[in-house]
Amino acid sequence: MTNPSVEPKASCPLMSKTQPPRLVSKDGRSLMHNSGSPGSRHTCFSALRDMWGTWLALRWRWVVLAFCGSFLLHWLLFAVLWYLLARVNGDLDVPNHDSPPEGHVLCVKHVNGFTAAFSFALETQLTIGYGTMYPNADCPTAIALLALQMLLGLMLEAFITGAFVAKFSRPQKRCGGILFSPQAVVCEVKGQRCLMFRVCNLLPRPLVDVSVSAVLYQHHNDHELLQTAVEFSIDNLGPRPCPLFLSPLTFFHPLTQSSPLNNSQSHFEMVVFLSASQESTGSGYHMRTSYLPDEIQHGFCFSKIKSVHEKHCNKKETMHYFSTHPCPLTNTLDTLEKEHVVVQLNGEGSDFVE
C-alpha cells in the first residue's frame, strides 16, 4: 500500500478539496466558535452573563492587568467619594485641621485635597493603619462610607483571590508535561491492522487511573457534523483505565469491520481525550489533541522503547519516543476487499470511495 506521508497531496484528488476548519488544535485548544452568535454584541452579553468563566479563560497578562486596574479603579472611586465628602462638609476650607473652628466637625482629619483623599482610600483598603488621617466618629457619613468601602473591597479581594487560585488549579493548565505523538500510525499488531498513537508523561510524578477516549468528527454535504466514538486500549487492559502512567503509553484501535474509521469520508478529525489523576492529591488532569488524515502515517510503527527509567531535561530530548520507522502492511487490498473492509484513512486504502 502506498504511504500517504511521502506521496504528494496533489496526487490525491480527495485531499485537494477545500477542507473544513480544524476543531481542536494539536495542543488541545478548541478552535470551534459558536455559530449561533448573531454578532459581537451577543458575544459581549454572553461574556457578562458568565463573568467567572470569561475571567478564567483570559490569558495571564490580561488577568494581571485586570487585577491592577480593578484595585486602581476602586481606590480612585472612593478617593472621589472621600473628596466630595470633605468638600460638602466644608473640610477643604479649614486651613488647620489640628484646630478646626468651633462647632465644625471634621469627617476625615487632614483630608484637604484630592491627593490626600486618594491616600486615605488606599490606607483604608489595604488596612495599613491610619496616621495623621483618620475618620471622625462624630461624622456618621464618614463611618457609613468607610463601611461601604471595606465591604466592596473585601468582595473584590475575595473574587481576585479565588480567580487566581482557580486559574492555577485548572486541570488543563497542569498538563504541560503530557505530550501526544505529533502523528498517529497504522501498522499491524499480531496480524491485525491497528491505528496507534503514543502519549508521554514528563511530569515529575506518575499519574494514576489514566483513561483515553476518542471521537471521530466528520462533515457531511449538508454541513452536519457527525460524531462517532472510537475505542482505544493499551496492551491487554482493554477499555479499562491504566492504573499507572509512567512514560510512555501506546494506545491502539483495531481497524476491524465494525470500526468507524473503515467507512469514514476522505476528511475527518479524530479528537483524543486523556484523563488522569495525581496519586498524592487526587487532582484531575485533562489533555486533548486531534489527528487529521494527513497526520496519520500508513505503514509505519513507533520505535521500541529501550527503557522507561531514562530522565530527560526537556521536551526536545523526549521526542525520540515518538519516532517512527516503516512497517510494511502484509494484508493486501485484495484481502481487504474480500472481507468487505474499506479503509479510508487519509483518503487511501481502497479503489473506490463510498
Side-chain angles (χ1 to χ4, degrees):
M1 183 174 294
T2 305
N3 178 20
S5 62
V6 298
E7 184 179 0
K9 295 182 179 180
S11 62
C12 181
L14 293 175
M15 298 301 297
S16 62
K17 297 180 180 179
T18 302
Q19 304 295 353
R22 190 169 198 142
L23 301 178
V24 177
S25 65
K26 296 296 292 184
D27 58 357
R29 291 180 295 107
S30 177
L31 304 179
M32 188 174 182
H33 301 282
N34 186 9
S35 59
S37 299
S40 58
R41 181 181 178 183
H42 181 83
T43 304
C44 294
F45 283 134
S46 301
L48 290 177
R49 285 195 298 265
D50 186 20
M51 292 185 61
W52 182 254
T54 303
W55 176 271
L56 295 182
L58 291 176
R59 294 182 178 271
W60 272 109
R61 54 178 174 266
W62 298 114
V63 171
V64 174
L65 180 62
F67 169 80
C68 299
S70 60
F71 277 101
L72 287 175
L73 289 176
H74 185 264
W75 298 334
L76 183 61
L77 172 63
F78 279 92
V80 173
L81 294 179
W82 286 115
Y83 179 79
L84 292 177
L85 176 61
R87 175 173 289 276
V88 172
N89 194 54
D91 296 346
L92 301 181
D93 300 328
V94 177
N96 188 1
H97 280 206
D98 292 328
S99 56
E102 185 178 355
H104 183 81
V105 178
L106 295 174
C107 285
V108 181
K109 196 172 183 180
H110 292 293
V111 174
N112 49 16
F114 183 78
T115 303
F118 183 85
S119 178
F120 180 76
L122 183 64
E123 291 181 11
T124 301
Q125 177 62 36
L126 299 181
T127 63
I128 57 179
Y130 294 121
T132 58
M133 293 181 294
Y134 57 88
N136 192 347
D138 295 331
C139 182
T141 307
I143 301 303
L145 185 58
L146 179 66
L148 178 62
Q149 181 178 358
M150 293 303 298
L151 287 175
L152 294 182
L154 289 175
M155 293 175 59
L156 178 62
E157 291 177 0
F159 179 83
I160 295 294
T161 304
F164 268 77
V165 173
K167 283 187 69 67
F168 276 116
S169 60
R170 282 189 299 172
Q172 63 270 30
K173 292 301 180 182
R174 299 195 300 267
C175 300
I178 300 178
L179 302 179
F180 287 91
S181 57
Q183 293 183 326
V185 299
V186 174
C187 61
E188 291 184 1
V189 178
K190 298 180 181 181
Q192 173 65 55
R193 189 168 297 189
C194 298
L195 172 66
M196 308 171 65
F197 67 90
R198 182 169 286 180
V199 188
C200 183
N201 179 20
L202 299 184
L203 298 174
R205 65 195 68 83
L207 301 178
V208 296
D209 297 331
V210 184
S211 60
V212 167
S213 59
V215 177
L216 187 70
Y217 293 93
Q218 302 178 72
H219 292 270
H220 289 264
N221 296 330
D222 55 356
H223 302 288
E224 179 185 2
L225 186 63
L226 179 64
Q227 307 177 41
T228 309
V230 182
E231 299 293 336
F232 280 86
S233 59
I234 175 174
D235 295 335
N236 296 322
L237 294 179
R240 292 179 297 179
C242 179
L244 186 62
F245 188 4
L246 295 176
S247 182
L249 298 176
T250 304
F251 296 87
F252 64 91
H253 167 74
L255 296 175
T256 59
Q257 295 184 13
S258 59
S259 173
L261 291 169
N262 287 329
N263 296 321
S264 61
Q265 297 180 348
S266 60
H267 179 82
F268 60 86
E269 182 172 351
M270 186 179 68
V271 182
V272 180
F273 305 87
L274 182 143
S275 300
S277 59
Q278 186 178 334
E279 187 176 15
S280 57
T281 63
S283 302
Y285 288 76
H286 304 286
M287 191 66 178
R288 63 188 176 190
T289 189
S290 69
Y291 295 99
L292 298 179
D294 56 356
E295 294 171 348
I296 299 177
Q297 292 182 322
H298 219 77
F300 281 77
C301 59
F302 290 110
S303 301
K304 294 183 178 181
I305 305 169
K306 297 181 180 180
S307 174
V308 297
H309 300 287
E310 299 178 1
K311 294 184 179 180
H312 301 276
C313 298
N314 51 51
K315 297 180 181 179
K316 184 177 181 181
E317 296 178 354
T318 313
M319 292 305 293
H320 76 278
Y321 284 150
F322 302 143
S323 60
T324 60
H325 61 272
C327 183
L329 301 175
T330 57
N331 291 338
T332 61
L333 289 175
D334 295 336
T335 303
L336 292 175
E337 289 176 358
K338 291 179 181 179
E339 297 177 354
H340 303 285
V341 178
V342 183
V343 179
Q344 289 294 333
L345 289 175
N346 207 13
E348 305 213 4
S350 67
D351 295 336
F352 61 95
V353 179
E354 293 188 340

